[in-house]
Structures are given as structure tokens and as C-alpha cells.
Amino acid sequence: MEIKEEKTSDEAQHFLPATQADNLREPQFTSIQRIANESKLEFVLGFCLSLVIRKTDPRVLVWSTGGAETSPSGTDLKSCKDLVATARDRKLNTFVQISVVHPAEQTLTRYSSTEIVEGTRDPLFLTGVTFPPEYPIYEETKIKLTVYDVKDKSQDTVRTRVLSEHKEPRTDVGRNFLGLTTFKVGDLVKSKEQQLTLTLRTSDGGKTVGTIDVSLVKMGEIEEGEVDHITTDVQGQKCALVCECTAPEGISGKDSLPLLNAVLKNPICKLYRFPTSENKWLHIREQMSESTLSFHVPKELINLHIKEDMRRNQDLKELGELAPHWDNMRKNVIAHCEQMLTMYQDTLADLGKHTGSSFKSSCSKGEKTLEFVPINLHLQRMHVHSPRLKDALYDVFTVGAPAAHCQGFKNGGLRKLLSKFEAERRNTGYQCIYYSPENTAKAKEVLSNINHLQPLISSHADLLLNSASQHSPDSLKNSLKMLSEKTELFVHAFKDQLVRSALLALYTARPGCVLKKPTVPRNSVEECGDPQGQDHPSQIQRQNSIPHHSEYDEEEWDRVWTNVGKSLNCIIAMVDRLLEKEDSSSGIKESENDPSSAACMVSHTSGDWYEQLYPLIITLKDCMGEVVTRAKQSMTFVLLQELACGLPQRLMLTLRRDIVFSQALAGLVCGFIIKLHTSLHDQSFLQQLHTVGLIVQYEGLLSTYSEEIGMLEDMAVGISDLQKVMFKIIEAKSNDFLPVITGRREHYVIEVKLPAKMFELLPQEIKEGKQLHVYPVLFNVGINEQQTLAERFGDTTLQESVNQENFEQLKEYYKLFTEKMPPDCLPHFQEQNDLKGLLENLHQNIQAKKRKNVEIMWVAATICRKLNGIRFTCCKSAKDRTSMSVTLEQCSILRDEHQLHKDFYIRALDCMRREGCRIENVLKNIKCRKYAFNMIQLMAFPKCYRPPEGTYGKADT
């Protein structure tokens, strides 16, 4: 963010002309008054300076920033000739540094700078400066502008370390002082056209070397409700967050502010002005924000895991008496599970103690206490104001590849480890019974349904009795309807063959049951659906010494769970009879004139309803309890087998998967909330959201060499696991807008809270609680020197298979989209053939055996944007390669969608990489403004992914 350097009053005055320095001795503390037609401007961009050198005479520098004379069509703006260089025949490499003189503290703060315009005496600056609206600026605050000439950009250290402001940089650090000036903020705000023409002077304030024009720039037509503000770590400080277009009707910035403050934090803003091919100006506002969800989501998720594991451990303990072999197995499993549970609890406690930044830096990848937290998660936003086109907003979420760095990658990542473990587990039948992953997932689903439905059925049964006691026909009907729906779901959950098969396996594990054959029955329910093929009953013999055991009866389970349905039918029949009698009875109507008689009749009838339904309700609960006991024990026995086969590897794999999933989920939740917030006005998007769901596209830049193979394997599984996530939007009932996570490892529901006025804009289906799907896809193309080694001497099969698999999923989503959505819902496209062409292009590029085929990522990103999707860009730490990709995407969008002048494309790209939000991201992570590349590495990069000279070098990552 800002690089600050506080000075004494004498040091600050050293830089100012004498008359201006005198004004500092008695500072005025009048805050800037917000005039009616200026307030919105201030909140959007604060004070924006766009600086351009213009020609006067050979010894004068003229700086301009917009206004009537700054149209790019003017030759004076585009060129500056005959500027005096410090060395003969050397062209200037110039930039302007902006500093703030605070009147209260009488200190000087270095705030920002423009990009370096190199190799010309006719420079044009593209970078502007943004002050947040709550930045401590008053009318008496002074802004200092200093012009420098950089001799060698690769040696210029002004970008990487703070220099003393009271000393002009020595020539041996690579830059020369040219001139400076200062102005009061109040003078700029109160000026007639909000523009000042100032004089550039030498450091002693004597010699005039040029002039500079400073103006207040407006970023498009900002209407009420278009601007929201995000809090920073500095108390009370905010920065503008520009929404896509005008806010939905009835929604103001105040209404959406709490939601954004709950999710985003510590924004960094940059402003650019680029010329178009039509000789107009593009105003671009780039913003990067952290997310509080980086820590909130992992804490919610770990807490959920702890509760789930505690329930499982308790179920194992309540499994009942087992034969010695199975009992020892259970004790061993519980011991390991308790150790893992303690580890989760310790991790949650450590995260609860975390204070400070809302993101995990790349330097903390290996920090054990933060392994569930995503690496370097940020929202990267570009807001474009074009002279002729509607303002547009482009969001990309940047995050380090979800991976278990603390676990290491010596043996590969999740994709390889899970496949290897499953193959080995199939061969451990002599120790335990093998159940396929699908069947263990089904067992967990049955247990979840039990825990969810049993209390609901009991509650609805009690409501039915309460309605009967009140003699309320309408209430009785409604209670019966709810009871019937939940009971039918309950009965349906136990129709699976897995429950019956697991009951048999559990019976064989009880004391007193021995098999005629010495081997344990391999009751793999992957062969379920052929119950006649099971010969387990004939293998079981009852020991006479244990009389409480009887020969196992497979049909007994069918009788038990069908009794629940029969009990429900009895209740339904009884309610129907009671309501029929109520309709035919006229006893109460005939006694309307006799209150005492009517009261007696109501009391008597009410007692009849309750007394007739009560025994039926008790029977239903008893039948349900017997089903729950048997089903719960049988499904817990299945989970026991899953855990026992491969201890402790199974638990370590579960831990690794939880870590990777936690990192992936934090980014997804942040992306969903921001996408929802910016698209509430878009009815087509809202229809797509509840009808089809959202595509979530991940762009991976990992190589398929060395450790990054394991990272990609982790990432592929973590992103695939996001298919288990559903979203539900609810109305916030308090000021807490943080999302809530419910569910279990196989199925999660994220409850997103919206303020009341925003919630009212949603379609009825969403307001009624419809769960919303997401469809994650991953496309990866390695671009660094390690990928060169992989392509020439290694193996790229992993990347090829990941891309092909995810392309098939993207095709399935597109098919679903076209079937359920009208064609006019596709943004920017009038015909679906355009998307078909893009999909075919993507397919061809995936099939092509082309090295570092980055067009795969470009086409996939375009498809995602056209499908209203959520975009992610990932590399190892989301710092270096990710920064190259994000800036490339932003400039490509400006060129393709907003007519950025072709001669300024490379300039704009270098400008964003050198002075934009991404170099600030590098600074946040490693305390150095250097991308972690060297010249040898960059020779292997595609040219468009190489940073400008002077912005890379040795850095501790």
C-alpha cells in the first residue's frame, strides 16, 4: 500500500518554497467541505492526478492532467520535444513522485508515483493517483510533485526501498532530480474548473524549470448508490469500491456497505488513463482487496469437522458388543480418531488467536497453524469507463493453488495418493470388510439423514398432537402434511441394499456368531443389487452357550422399516376419520346459543382427538426408534471398516483433503458473494443462478515437474470436491453478514446472508430457500522453466488429462445452460453459435500437442465471462505468475472490448505490472517490489508473461 516516511517539520520545510514553508507553522484544520455536486466524485476516486509532459521551450517541463486541452487528438499532448537531459544526447526516462505534507503532524509521506516513461524526450504518462475518501486530507494539506530522470531502470531502487525525502537521490542510485512543486488541496477543490497550473522549481525554490497542470478527474457518471466503501486496517479509513453499473432500484451504498465490509478488507487502488483507437480516453480503476473469508471459512469448516468427528467417535463407542477381533479394531480406530480430533481442535484454537492481516502471505505456505487458510487470496477488480460504451467491471480472484504444503509432495498429491490408497485397500479384506468409496459415502448420507430427519419427525408428531388437543382442523391438516413428507423421506432412505447387507455383516461381528469358514465375509456392497448371490446366512451358526442370539433373519429388517410407513398410514387414516366426523357433526353449531354446553362439547371432542391419535404417534416413534438404532449401528460398522483399512493413512488422507478443500472453499465463497453482489440488478443472471447454477473456472499456472506435480494433483481434487457445495441465500436478521456453513464432508450448504432490501430483489425461488449449484472446472497450463523440462524430458499426462476431464464438465454445463435458459440471456452474444465456436476452439487447443499452449487459458476465461461465471487465477503462491496472467488478461480485455490503442498495448501492460496493484501484492507478501523471476527463468516464459525490466530479481519467496 502506501510507502510512508514521517519527517520532522524542518525536514518537511526543506522541500518547500519559503512562502509555502511558512504556512506550515500555523496549520489550519478545516476539513474539505463536500458540495452537493462534488460529494459523489470524492467518494468514488478521491483526488486523481493524471500527469502528462507537454512542450514549451527547450528548458521547460510542462505537466498536464486532463481538462479541455488534454484530448489525445492534440499533438501537444502526445509529444514533448527538446527536453533537456542531464547528459548530452541521452533520452530521458522520467517519472513523477507524489508525496503528501500533513499539516497536523507537519510530516511528509511518500504516497505514490507514476510509471517510468523511458527512452524519449516526449513522454506520455498513463498512471494516475487515487486518495481514499477517508484519507487524512484537509484543505490545508499540501501535495508535493517531484520529477525524476531514471538513468537505468534495472538499477533504480526507488521502487524497492524507501529513500530519505530530504536528500536528492545520488546519481549512483540510478536517477536524477529534475524539479518539484507543491499545491494546497483546498486550492484544487475550490478552483473554477478544478484544475491548477503550477510552477516546477529546483530544490532550493529559486530556479523555474517548467509548469504542471493538476486536475480533479471524475471516473464516469457516478449515481447515488453506485459506490460502496470497504474498511481498511486503519481505523475509519475507507476506499471506494465501484460497482458494475447503477445500483438496483431501491438499493443504496449504505444498504450494501455492511455486506462488503463483512467480506472485503484493505483495498489498494490504482488509476490509469489510456488512449483508444478513436482518440478518446479510457479511464481504468484497478483495485485489489483482501477477504476476511480467508480465515472465517476455514474456522467454520474445522468447527464442522470437529462436530462431525465427535459424532462418529460416539457412534463407534455405541456400536455395541463386538467379537474380540472387531472390538480391538474399534479401539484402535477410536484411538487414532481421538488424536486427529485433538489436532483439529488445536488448529481451530490457533486460528482463533490470529490477529492482523486478513490474508496468508506466500512466505507462510509452510506454517502449520495456517495450513487450512488459502494463500494470498485477493479480489482483483478492473473498472473501465469508456467514452462511448457502458461502464464495465471485470473481477478475477487470485489465490495460491489449494495444496497441502505442510504435508509435502514427496509421494505426490491427492489425485495420486487417493488412487494408490484405494487400490491397496481392496487387498486388505483379510483384516476388514471392503466397501467401495461410493458405499462409504452412502453410509455417511444415511447417517446424516437419520440425524436430520429423526428430530424433525418427532417435532412434527408433537405438533400434530398439539393441533389435536386444540381441536384445530386446519392446523391438523398442515401438521399431518409435514409429518407425512418427512416420514416418507425417512422410509425412502433405508430402501438401499447397503443397509441390509451391513446389518448382516454386523451380525457376524457380534459375540456368539461364528462362521463355518475361517475367513471374514467380504461383504462388498459394490455387488449390491444381487442379494440372492449372498450366502452369508448359511455361513452363520449360533452358539448354544449364548441363548440371546437367534438365527439371523434377513426379512426382519424389511418388516422393521416398513412398520414406520404402516404406522404413518394408520395416523393418516385416523386423521381422515376425525375430520369426517367433524364435518358431519353439528353438535357445536346447535349449541352456539348455550356457551356452557359448547365449552363442554369442545372439551370432550378435543379429548377424543388427542386420545385417539396419541397411541398411534407413540407407535410411530417406537418403530422409528428401532429403525434408527439398527440402521445407525450398521452404517457405523461400514465406517469402521473404512477407517480400519489403512490406518493411519486413511486419516492422514482425510486431513490432507480437508486442508485442500478448506483453501478452495474460502475462495469460492468469496467469489460467490461478490458475484451475487455485483449482479443483483441482472435478472438474467438471477434466473441462471437458480435454474442452472454458476460455472466457476480456475486457471492454473502450475508446471508438471517436481513438487508442482503434487500441487496440481491436490488442486485438481480440491476443486473437484467443490461440486459437493450448495449455496442458499437467506435474509440477514442481524448485523452479522458472514456466511454460515452447515452439512458434512460429503455435502455442504453455504448460507449467504443479504440485507433485507437486497434480499427482496431475489427471485421467489431463491427467497424460498432453493439450493444453488456451482460447477467448478480447472484448466492448467504450465509456463515456467520447469514446464520446459517437463515437456522435453518429463511427462505432461497429468495436465492433459485434467484439461480434458474438465472440458467435458464444461460441455455438460453448456448443454444444461442452453436447455434451460433462453438465448437472449447470454451476455454480449446474440447467437449461441459464438459460444459453440469458442468451445470447439478450446477442444482443439486441448487436443493439440503444443507446448505451453496458453491459448487454452485465454479461451476458457472468455467462455467463463460469457457464461456469467466466476474467474480464478492460481499459481504456487498467486504472486508472480498470477500477476503476469491477471495483468495480461486486463490489457487484453481493454484491447478487445474497449478499443485500447494498439500502440499503447505494451505500454499499458508494462504500466500495470510496474505500478499497478500486482506489484503491491508482491510487496505485501515478501516486503519487496520485485517479482521472483530471474533472466534465465524468463527466457522460458511465453513473451507476453514476462515482466518489464527492473521489476524482477532475486527475492525471498
Side-chain angles (χ1 to χ4, degrees):
M1 300 177 72
E2 311 115 38
I3 301 178
K4 296 184 178 180
E5 185 177 5
E6 304 299 329
K7 303 295 178 187
T8 65
S9 58
D10 292 339
E11 290 173 335
Q13 293 174 27
H14 175 82
F15 280 106
L16 306 178
T19 56
Q20 296 176 344
D22 291 340
N23 291 336
L24 284 177
R25 291 167 187 156
E26 294 182 1
Q28 302 294 320
F29 299 110
T30 306
S31 62
I32 299 173
Q33 299 299 315
R34 295 173 182 166
I35 304 172
N37 60 358
E38 293 178 342
S39 60
K40 301 181 183 62
L41 170 63
E42 181 185 0
F43 276 91
V44 176
L45 291 174
F47 303 103
C48 306
L49 309 174
S50 235
L51 305 174
V52 183
I53 294 183
R54 298 177 59 198
K55 173 184 175 182
T56 49
D57 69 53
R59 303 182 62 184
V60 178
L61 295 174
V62 178
W63 299 72
S64 171
T65 67
E69 299 180 357
T70 59
S71 170
S73 59
T75 55
D76 284 345
L77 175 69
K78 285 191 174 183
S79 63
C80 179
K81 300 179 181 178
D82 302 325
L83 295 179
V84 177
T86 54
R88 180 177 299 227
D89 297 330
R90 193 183 74 79
K91 295 181 179 181
L92 295 175
N93 298 332
T94 51
F95 76 95
V96 180
Q97 184 170 284
I98 297 92
S99 303
V100 179
V101 181
H102 296 286
E105 298 86 2
Q106 296 188 350
T107 56
L108 191 69
T109 299
R110 176 180 298 170
Y111 187 81
S112 184
S113 62
T114 68
E115 82 278 17
I116 298 175
V117 180
E118 56 183 308
T120 177
R121 298 188 183 187
D122 311 322
L124 172 67
F125 287 87
L126 306 178
T127 312
V129 180
T130 300
F131 290 94
E134 298 300 326
Y135 188 83
I137 282 188
Y138 306 92
E139 289 187 351
E140 295 301 318
T141 300
K142 290 183 172 62
I143 305 296
K144 174 189 170 188
L145 307 175
T146 310
V147 187
Y148 292 104
D149 169 34
V150 178
K151 292 195 299 182
D152 184 354
K153 286 199 309 176
S154 63
Q155 297 179 7
D156 178 40
T157 56
V158 69
R159 295 296 185 276
T160 57
R161 66 185 180 92
V162 177
L163 298 174
S164 297
E165 279 282 4
H166 65 284
K167 296 181 181 179
E168 294 180 12
R170 305 187 313 272
T171 55
D172 59 357
V173 300
R175 61 174 182 164
N176 294 317
F177 171 82
L178 296 180
L180 62 82
T181 189
T182 61
F183 65 92
K184 288 183 180 181
V185 172
D187 293 340
L188 175 61
V189 174
K190 295 176 181 178
S191 60
K192 184 176 181 182
E193 304 205 359
Q194 294 187 327
Q195 181 170 330
L196 298 175
T197 299
L198 306 169
T199 301
L200 283 169
R201 298 179 181 274
T202 55
S203 58
D204 59 8
K207 186 177 179 181
T208 299
V209 295
T211 60
I212 179 171
D213 291 339
V214 182
S215 66
L216 202 60
V217 180
K218 187 174 182 180
M219 182 81 169
E221 295 299 321
I222 305 301
E223 303 295 339
E224 181 66 34
E226 241 183 304
V227 181
D228 301 301
H229 303 87
I230 312 167
T231 58
T232 66
D233 282 334
V234 181
Q235 185 175 3
Q237 183 172 326
K238 300 180 179 179
C239 181
L241 174 65
V242 181
C243 295
E244 184 168 2
C245 298
T246 57
E249 185 178 355
I251 297 298
S252 66
K254 293 181 180 179
D255 294 322
S256 58
L257 173 60
L259 177 64
L260 289 177
N261 276 334
V263 178
L264 299 179
K265 195 175 183 183
N266 292 336
I268 296 174
C269 308
K270 299 289 181 177
L271 178 69
Y272 313 97
R273 187 180 63 169
F274 300 145
T276 69
S277 56
E278 298 178 347
N279 290 326
K280 301 293 182 182
W281 284 118
L282 282 175
H283 287 96
I284 295 93
R285 188 173 187 279
E286 186 186 32
Q287 178 169 305
M288 181 182 70
S289 302
E290 301 169 10
S291 175
T292 57
L293 301 182
S294 291
F295 284 83
H296 173 75
V297 169
K299 288 191 285 189
E300 284 273 306
L301 206 54
I302 294 172
N303 190 45
L304 212 59
H305 294 332
I306 291 173
K307 293 178 180 178
E308 180 182 350
D309 291 349
M310 289 178 70
R311 284 196 303 267
R312 179 200 58 200
N313 293 353
Q314 188 61 32
D315 290 342
L316 287 172
K317 294 173 182 178
E318 296 175 354
L319 191 53
E321 193 176 3
L322 297 175
H325 167 74
W326 301 107
D327 193 46
N328 291 333
M329 177 185 291
R330 172 173 58 177
K331 291 177 181 178
N332 187 33
V333 166
I334 291 176
H336 280 88
C337 289
E338 292 288 355
Q339 291 178 4
M340 294 301 294
L341 183 61
T342 301
M343 194 218 70
Y344 280 89
Q345 291 170 333
D346 292 343
T347 301
L348 182 61
D350 290 334
L351 288 179
K353 298 174 184 176
H354 177 83
T355 57
S357 179
S358 299
F359 86 111
K360 170 182 166 183
S361 72
S362 62
C363 299
S364 303
K365 284 194 295 286
E367 195 168 331
K368 182 71 175 175
T369 57
L370 300 179
E371 59 184 345
F372 284 83
V373 179
I375 301 169
N376 196 17
L377 173 61
H378 283 83
L379 162 65
Q380 178 82 15
R381 168 166 288 182
M382 181 175 70
H383 175 237
V384 183
H385 171 63
S386 304
R388 294 185 179 178
L389 301 176
K390 188 177 181 181
D391 281 18
L393 192 72
Y394 301 93
D395 285 347
V396 178
F397 295 87
T398 60
V399 64
H405 292 273
C406 292
Q407 307 290 320
F409 306 99
K410 182 178 180 180
N411 298 314
L414 277 172
R415 188 177 170 110
K416 178 180 179 181
L417 293 172
L418 288 171
S419 176
K420 181 180 179 181
F421 176 79
E422 191 59 33
E424 292 176 349
R425 196 165 73 91
R426 288 175 177 270
N427 300 321
T428 57
Y430 64 92
Q431 294 177 342
C432 57
I433 304 172
Y434 174 78
Y435 290 94
S436 68
E438 294 76 17
N439 286 317
T440 54
K442 181 65 179 177
K444 293 174 183 177
E445 182 182 352
V446 171
L447 286 171
S448 177
N449 287 334
I450 290 173
N451 294 329
H452 174 67
L453 291 174
Q454 185 184 15
L456 282 179
I457 293 173
S458 296
S459 175
H460 289 308
D462 293 339
L463 288 175
L464 184 68
L465 287 177
N466 186 53
S467 300
S469 65
Q470 294 178 359
H471 196 77
S472 172
D474 291 337
S475 178
L476 195 68
K477 290 177 183 178
N478 292 334
S479 298
L480 180 62
K481 180 183 177 182
M482 298 300 298
L483 178 64
S484 300
E485 290 177 356
K486 299 305 179 185
T487 306
E488 287 172 6
L489 290 175
F490 182 83
V491 172
H492 181 73
F494 301 111
K495 288 185 177 180
D496 198 283
Q497 176 66 22
L498 174 64
V499 180
R500 179 184 302 187
S501 180
L503 280 168
L504 171 60
L506 177 59
Y507 178 81
T508 65
R510 297 294 188 194
C513 288
V514 294
L515 301 177
K516 291 181 179 179
K517 296 181 181 179
T519 57
V520 174
R522 288 186 57 81
N523 185 22
S524 174
V525 194
E526 58 201 346
E527 300 131 13
C528 68
D530 184 21
Q532 292 81 6
Q534 297 177 348
D535 58 351
H536 303 299
S538 63
Q539 296 177 346
I540 303 171
Q541 73 176 33
R542 177 172 56 87
Q543 290 184 354
N544 294 330
S545 59
I546 306 180
H548 65 274
H549 276 307
S550 59
E551 199 67 39
Y552 181 75
D553 183 3
E554 286 190 272
E555 296 181 357
E556 182 183 3
W557 167 246
D558 292 333
R559 293 192 294 271
V560 169
W561 69 264
T562 53
N563 280 343
V564 177
K566 292 177 180 178
S567 299
L568 176 64
N569 290 336
C570 291
I571 293 173
I572 294 173
M574 176 59 70
V575 171
D576 289 341
R577 285 199 298 271
L578 292 175
L579 293 176
E580 287 175 6
K581 290 180 180 180
E582 173 69 14
D583 293 337
S584 60
S585 174
S586 60
I588 296 181
K589 293 182 180 179
E590 294 172 355
S591 357
E592 285 180 349
N593 297 326
D594 185 355
S596 61
S597 174
C600 292
M601 181 63 71
V602 171
S603 176
H604 176 70
T605 309
S606 174
D608 288 344
W609 280 23
Y610 183 88
E611 291 170 4
Q612 293 184 64
L613 282 174
Y614 181 77
L616 299 179
I617 294 295
I618 294 300
T619 301
L620 174 65
K621 289 184 177 181
D622 289 343
C623 292
M624 184 174 63
E626 186 173 1
V627 169
V628 166
T629 300
R630 297 193 183 205
K632 204 169 188 178
Q633 288 185 343
S634 65
M635 295 298 95
T636 301
F637 189 73
V638 172
L639 298 187
L640 174 63
Q641 309 309 308
E642 179 202 30
L643 292 167
C645 294
L647 277 176
Q649 291 89 342
R650 160 60 66 186
L651 293 177
M652 294 306 298
L653 276 177
T654 300
L655 171 62
R656 188 183 191 106
R657 199 165 188 172
D658 287 346
I659 290 170
V660 174
F661 179 77
S662 173
Q663 296 177 21
L665 183 64
L668 174 64
V669 175
C670 179
F672 183 91
I673 292 175
I674 297 302
K675 182 67 177 178
L676 177 65
H677 177 268
T678 57
S679 304
L680 271 176
H681 64 283
D682 188 343
Q683 294 303 313
S684 296
F685 168 81
L686 295 176
Q687 182 182 356
Q688 174 187 355
L689 183 60
H690 72 81
T691 304
V692 187
L694 285 186
I695 193 76
V696 184
Q697 186 249 326
Y698 290 80
E699 173 185 309
L701 298 162
L702 296 173
S703 68
T704 53
Y705 186 83
S706 188
E707 285 192 343
E708 290 197 7
I709 296 179
M711 296 178 202
L712 181 56
E713 289 175 340
D714 274 357
M715 183 181 183
V717 173
I719 290 173
S720 177
D721 282 348
L722 293 176
Q723 297 177 71
K724 300 181 291 190
V725 176
M726 305 283 282
F727 285 87
K728 181 180 178 182
I729 304 175
I730 61 175
E731 182 179 352
K733 301 301 182 182
S734 67
N735 292 328
D736 180 10
F737 293 95
L738 289 173
V740 176
I741 305 177
T742 59
R744 53 188 172 81
R745 282 186 175 89
E746 302 300 324
H747 178 72
Y748 297 94
V749 177
I750 315 297
E751 294 184 350
V752 176
K753 304 175 186 177
L754 286 186
K757 290 186 178 180
M758 299 177 72
F759 185 77
E760 286 303 314
L761 297 174
L762 298 174
Q764 192 61 34
E765 294 88 344
I766 297 180
K767 288 196 284 189
E768 290 175 353
K770 183 175 182 179
Q771 293 187 352
L772 312 172
H773 294 262
V774 290
Y775 298 84
V777 293
L778 164 66
F779 295 97
N780 186 87
V781 177
I783 62 172
N784 65 359
E785 77 287 354
Q786 290 187 326
Q787 186 63 24
T788 302
L789 295 175
E791 290 171 340
R792 295 185 178 180
F793 310 111
D795 184 11
T796 60
T797 305
L798 173 62
Q799 177 174 284
E800 293 167 3
S801 58
V802 165
N803 289 344
Q804 183 60 45
E805 291 166 10
N806 284 272
F807 174 74
E808 296 301 325
Q809 294 181 29
L810 181 59
K811 272 203 327 183
E812 286 298 316
Y813 176 83
Y814 175 70
K815 179 181 178 182
L816 190 65
F817 184 90
T818 52
E819 288 174 352
K820 295 188 175 183
M821 294 291 292
D824 58 355
C825 288
L826 289 176
H828 311 301
F829 280 85
Q830 298 299 322
E831 298 180 2
Q832 295 182 9
N833 290 334
D834 296 308
L835 267 174
K836 288 182 180 178
L838 286 170
L839 283 167
E840 181 59 32
N841 187 1
L842 179 60
H843 179 64
Q844 291 174 0
N845 277 286
I846 289 174
Q847 294 297 315
K849 300 297 181 181
K850 181 180 177 181
R851 293 178 178 177
K852 296 183 181 177
N853 190 2
V854 292
E855 192 168 347
I856 290 174
M857 299 185 295
W858 300 345
V859 177
T862 301
I863 293 173
C864 175
R865 286 195 297 271
K866 302 309 179 186
L867 288 173
N868 278 327
I870 305 171
R871 282 269 297 117
F872 283 84
T873 298
C874 312
C875 64
K876 184 177 179 179
S877 60
K879 177 172 59 68
D880 304 305
R881 282 170 282 179
T882 294
S883 294
M884 298 302 102
S885 177
V886 165
T887 50
L888 178 64
E889 180 177 356
Q890 290 181 165
C891 287
S892 297
I893 289 172
L894 293 176
R895 178 194 61 196
D896 300 337
E897 303 290 340
H898 299 277
Q899 292 79 50
L900 172 66
H901 197 292
K902 62 179 181 179
D903 294 339
F904 283 83
Y905 176 77
I906 299 299
R907 280 279 309 278
L909 187 60
D910 287 351
C911 183
M912 285 186 172
R913 289 173 175 175
R914 184 184 296 277
E915 303 296 338
C917 291
R918 298 314 303 183
I919 197 69
E920 300 292 343
N921 182 271
V922 174
L923 179 66
K924 285 177 68 173
N925 278 274
I926 61 172
K927 311 303 179 187
C928 176
R929 291 176 180 268
K930 292 278 188 181
Y931 297 112
F933 304 128
N934 59 47
M935 184 63 72
I936 303 298
Q937 289 175 313
L938 291 177
M939 290 174 64
F941 275 52
K943 288 185 178 180
C944 53
Y945 288 87
R946 298 175 186 175
E949 182 184 357
T951 62
Y952 58 88
K954 184 177 180 181
D956 182 14
T957 60

